[in-house]
Amino acid sequence: MDRYPCILRVLHWLLALMLALQFVLGFGAEYGAARVSEALLPLHFRLGVMILGLTVLRLCLRFVMPTPAADPGESPSLRRARSAVHGVLYLLVLAVPVSGHVIWVWMGADRSLPGGFEVPALFVPPEDETGRAVAWYVHVYGAWILLGLVGLHILAAVLRQRARRDGFITQRMGFKRLQREERGS
């Protein structure tokens, strides 16, 4: 197999767009005026719940669906580094929304979603706010680390494609095949 299955590619790009929007919403909520923050925070929460759900779905599918084989020319240390970065990316994409949920519950904020669903609280905040502070640090610093790792992920893919000139990104994400099919019709 030379590319990821269609559903994994769609989820990859959908999550990439959602994460970019989420970062903008979070930044605006954190540094915007009070009225801007009040308007953005509920959107930020709801989008975070969607990102968490889609990431869990993507991980489940990733474990059961075939994926492209590793590049045989890649060194074992590079392969381990790539796997570690992907693991940390997944960990952060799960930890940041979960920590956001903890903060949201601690705030006593509305956890309703479109369609009349409500995200369960899962805990009752204790009097001591240490957990809230820890969740805030995980959420904020985790988001910045996630942004940096996404940048490294993009840079690594682009540099690999430029170094080998083999259409790595378009091949793995399935665009190359679409181009060949369009030329043939």
Side-chain angles (χ1 to χ4, degrees):
M1 164 176 275
D2 63 344
R3 68 183 188 158
Y4 286 91
C6 182
I7 187 68
L8 290 178
R9 294 188 317 252
V10 168
L11 285 171
H12 175 273
W13 291 111
L14 179 60
L15 283 164
L17 289 171
M18 291 171 78
L19 285 168
L21 176 59
Q22 187 68 321
F23 191 80
V24 170
L25 288 173
F27 191 83
E30 183 72 21
Y31 297 106
R35 291 182 64 201
V36 171
S37 182
E38 287 176 21
L40 294 180
L41 278 174
L43 297 172
H44 184 72
F45 172 76
R46 290 180 182 111
L47 186 57
V49 171
M50 289 179 16
I51 288 170
L52 180 62
L54 288 174
T55 300
V56 169
L57 173 64
R58 187 168 191 265
L59 271 172
C60 291
L61 291 173
R62 178 88 167 70
F63 287 125
V64 299
M65 298 183 86
T67 56
D71 182 356
E74 187 176 60
S75 73
S77 59
L78 184 59
R79 191 174 303 138
R80 282 191 298 276
R82 184 176 36 81
S83 293
V85 168
H86 279 104
V88 173
L89 278 169
Y90 275 117
L91 178 68
L92 287 170
V93 174
L94 294 170
V96 170
V98 168
S99 62
H101 176 263
V102 169
I103 296 165
W104 204 244
V105 169
W106 225 294
M107 290 169 48
D110 177 26
R111 297 181 318 278
S112 62
L113 300 174
F117 298 103
E118 185 171 314
V119 178
L122 302 177
F123 72 97
V124 175
E127 293 292 322
D128 178 24
E129 291 203 11
T130 304
R132 180 180 181 176
V134 169
W136 184 87
Y137 282 109
V138 168
H139 195 72
V140 172
Y141 292 110
W144 284 106
I145 293 167
L146 177 61
L147 182 65
L149 285 176
V150 166
L152 285 175
H153 173 73
I154 293 166
L155 180 65
V158 168
L159 290 176
R160 188 214 179 275
Q161 180 164 311
R162 288 192 69 195
R164 296 192 184 180
R165 301 194 187 287
D166 60 357
F168 171 74
I169 296 170
T170 55
Q171 177 183 341
R172 280 287 170 102
M173 296 313 293
F175 302 122
K176 196 171 196 173
R177 183 175 213 162
L178 291 174
Q179 291 169 349
R180 275 188 262 148
E181 290 173 0
E182 286 173 2
R183 276 188 243 138
S185 36

